[in-house]
Amino acid sequence: MFKIGDKVVYPMHGAGVIESIEEKEVLGEKRSYYIMKLPIGEMKVMIPMDSIDNIGIRQIIDEDGYQKVMSILKDDCTSMSTNWNRRYRSNMEKIKSGNIYEVAEVVKNLALREQEKGLSTGERKMLENARQILLSELVLAKDSPAEDVEGMLEEFFA
């Protein structure tokens, strides 16, 4: 169980801070929800408390995790399928996993591919989504403004 003030990651949405715990009636059923505020875009997400294990909610990374993400971003591109469809499915699975290291790998690989060959519209949208997920967790992990973390990410791919 998480508590108010905890920094957590919601796979496919990114990281945020649990602002409150509320009971709401949705579709005629009363349930308790974590209300999570994302640091980017000022969006709030309702997470059903009774299904957090299925969703894959987890604590944000610590300093060691942050350093590991940085080393992933600095490393060379990992192998990706040349087949667009396979590459897209593989990257989508990595993003859905909620694993920050896999998301960092997707961001790095797609950003490098974009520089070399360009990306399709679907992959460009995937890169932007993965970037936002990565950015939201790094902002909370380092307790830094989004602009600073975004600038640091830009330096990796300049």
Side-chain angles (χ1 to χ4, degrees), residues 24-57:
K24 300 232 184 226
E25 188 172 322
V26 179
L27 301 172
E29 187 180 342
K30 276 193 176 204
R31 294 169 84 181
S32 293
Y33 292 87
Y34 290 118
I35 308 301
M36 182 176 87
K37 183 178 181 209
L38 302 174
I40 297 157
E42 299 301 310
M43 188 168 85
K44 290 188 179 183
V45 179
M46 288 176 36
I47 307 166
M49 290 177 69
D50 58 3
S51 57
I52 58 168
D53 293 334
N54 301 338
I55 297 171
I57 305 292

Side-chain angles (χ1 to χ4, degrees), residues 42 84 97 103 129 137 145:
E42 299 301 310
W84 179 91
S97 76
V103 173
N129 184 32
E137 187 160 0

Side-chain angles (χ1 to χ4, degrees), residues 2-21:
F2 299 107
K3 58 187 183 309
I4 295 171
D6 282 354
K7 296 175 182 179
V8 298
V9 176
Y10 187 176
M12 292 296 290
H13 290 82
V17 178
I18 295 176
E19 271 192 341
S20 63
I21 297 172

Side-chain angles (χ1 to χ4, degrees), residues 42-103:
E42 299 301 310
M43 188 168 85
K44 290 188 179 183
V45 179
M46 288 176 36
I47 307 166
M49 290 177 69
D50 58 3
S51 57
I52 58 168
D53 293 334
N54 301 338
I55 297 171
I57 305 292
R58 63 171 175 79
Q59 294 280 351
I60 64 167
I61 56 173
D62 58 10
E63 182 60 29
D64 288 342
Y66 179 84
Q67 292 307 323
K68 186 173 178 184
V69 168
M70 293 300 108
S71 69
I72 289 169
L73 293 173
K74 289 175 190 168
D75 285 346
D76 293 335
C77 183
T78 55
S79 65
M80 287 188 297
S81 175
T82 54
N83 177 293
W84 179 91
N85 201 13
R86 279 195 204 108
R87 187 173 60 243
Y88 187 88
R89 271 189 273 131
S90 171
N91 285 335
M92 186 56 76
E93 284 174 26
K94 289 177 181 182
I95 294 170
K96 283 181 180 177
S97 76
N99 182 317
I100 190 69
Y101 310 120
E102 290 192 355
V103 173

